Amino acid sequence: MIDINLLPYEKRTSRAFIRFIMVFAAVCVIALAALFWYAWQLNGTLQDVHQQESIWKARTLKEQDTSGTPNAEQAVRQVRQSQPDVYHALTSLNQRLPDGGAIQNVTIASHRITVQSLLPDFQAVVQFTDRLRRQPFEKVETTQISQTGDQSDTLQVTLTMNISKEKDQKP
């Protein structure tokens, strides 16, 4: 009789291949451990950086809060800059007044001025409003013109205008 073996032949792996697999696995485990250690170090460094960043942000916000509240000198400077320049506005009104004209009353409310003046004729009214419109006033409007009660041809003129925001304009 003939011997028939239906089982496949057993292949043996060489010992060198097994050693290679074992060394490769050990190197992979060591590399993986090194990566975990490096990630842990980076995480600690990142947390330190975030902590320092939050400290700097807190200091910056604190400095902004303290610089946001003006001291007395800054408050006075800010109020002066926001106020209209009344002196220059009044001298400018007086300088632009035509011959024979006189200012009766001046009312100042915020940046708005109302002027009542006596002018000799309509030509003087036109001349006065034109001079005021050039500088340093804005939106010059004639609100009322009436003749005075006496025998002269003097006109009582009421003008309203805004003081220009530019501080450097001089009369």
Side-chain angles (χ1 to χ4, degrees), residues 40-63:
W40 181 68
Q41 291 292 331
L42 280 180
N43 190 24
T45 305
L46 185 63
Q47 285 178 353
D48 289 343
V49 168
H50 282 299
Q51 185 178 11
Q52 286 180 349
E53 181 183 18
S54 63
I55 289 171
W56 281 105
K57 281 183 180 179
R59 284 182 186 169
T60 304
L61 288 175
K62 191 174 183 180
E63 289 173 2

Side-chain angles (χ1 to χ4, degrees), residues 149-166:
D150 57 0
Q151 298 295 338
S152 67
D153 291 335
T154 306
L155 300 172
Q156 183 175 10
V157 179
T158 305
L159 300 167
T160 56
M161 63 202 81
N162 291 339
I163 298 175
S164 178
K165 303 266 190 254
E166 298 175 16

Side-chain angles (χ1 to χ4, degrees), residues 7-141:
L7 295 174
Y9 288 108
E10 197 177 310
K11 292 184 181 178
R12 292 198 172 233
T13 53
S14 68
R15 289 185 185 242
F17 184 69
I18 292 175
R19 284 186 189 156
F20 173 74
I21 296 292
M22 295 289 270
V23 169
F24 183 72
V27 168
C28 287
V29 168
I30 290 172
L32 190 60
L35 284 175
F36 278 123
W37 178 80
Y38 183 68
W40 181 68
Q41 291 292 331
L42 280 180
N43 190 24
T45 305
L46 185 63
Q47 285 178 353
D48 289 343
V49 168
H50 282 299
Q51 185 178 11
Q52 286 180 349
E53 181 183 18
S54 63
I55 289 171
W56 281 105
K57 281 183 180 179
R59 284 182 186 169
T60 304
L61 288 175
K62 191 174 183 180
E63 289 173 2
Q64 287 177 352
D65 288 342
T66 57
S67 66
T69 55
N71 60 17
E73 182 180 336
Q74 291 173 338
V76 169
R77 189 176 307 127
Q78 187 176 9
V79 168
R80 280 190 172 176
Q81 288 175 349
S82 66
Q83 288 182 340
D85 196 355
V86 177
Y87 172 75
H88 290 297
L90 293 176
T91 56
S92 179
L93 277 173
N94 196 29
Q95 287 178 347
R96 284 163 175 71
L97 197 62
D99 293 334
I103 294 178
Q104 277 187 319
N105 187 13
V106 176
T107 306
I108 300 174
S110 185
H111 290 279
R112 190 93 174 135
I113 295 180
T114 303
V115 178
Q116 290 180 345
S117 60
L118 295 174
L119 298 172
D121 54 11
F122 282 106
Q123 184 63 28
V125 172
V126 171
Q127 185 181 17
F128 186 46
T129 54
D130 284 344
R131 287 179 183 173
L132 291 176
R133 283 184 179 129
R134 285 190 211 125
Q135 267 187 343
F137 301 102
E138 299 171 345
K139 296 183 182 178
V140 179
E141 299 170 353

